[in-house]
Amino acid sequence: QAYGNDYVYIDAINQNLSNLNELAKFVSDHHFGIGSDGMVLICPSDKADFRMRMFNSEDGSEAEMCGNGIRCVRKVCLWQRFN
């Protein structure tokens, strides 16, 4: 949670996920899913240790950036790297 927004974070490094737009809408649904403002995937990267992909809760579209989301991804990635 960051500044009142909450996201579902998924480790997409060690698993293949499909239908990401539909998955984002499902997990974000407060009545039938987990409930969140969106879904954030932590993915492998060719340029860095990790890469973030963020999907909106309303329509499942992929966003270019999410400042609150990247703050939390950073924390998760640092924990992964040093533990």
Side-chain angles (χ1 to χ4, degrees), residues 24-66:
K25 290 191 292 186
F26 176 76
V27 300
S28 298
D29 189 296
H30 289 285
H31 300 291
F32 299 105
I34 298 167
S36 68
D37 293 311
M39 178 180 77
V40 177
L41 302 181
I42 301 172
C43 305
S45 172
D46 294 333
K47 298 178 183 178
D49 293 335
F50 303 97
R51 178 172 68 104
M52 178 185 98
R53 293 180 70 189
M54 191 278 182
F55 295 83
N56 294 304
S57 61
E58 296 292 320
D59 60 2
S61 62
E62 187 168 0
E64 287 187 33
M65 177 50 71
C66 175

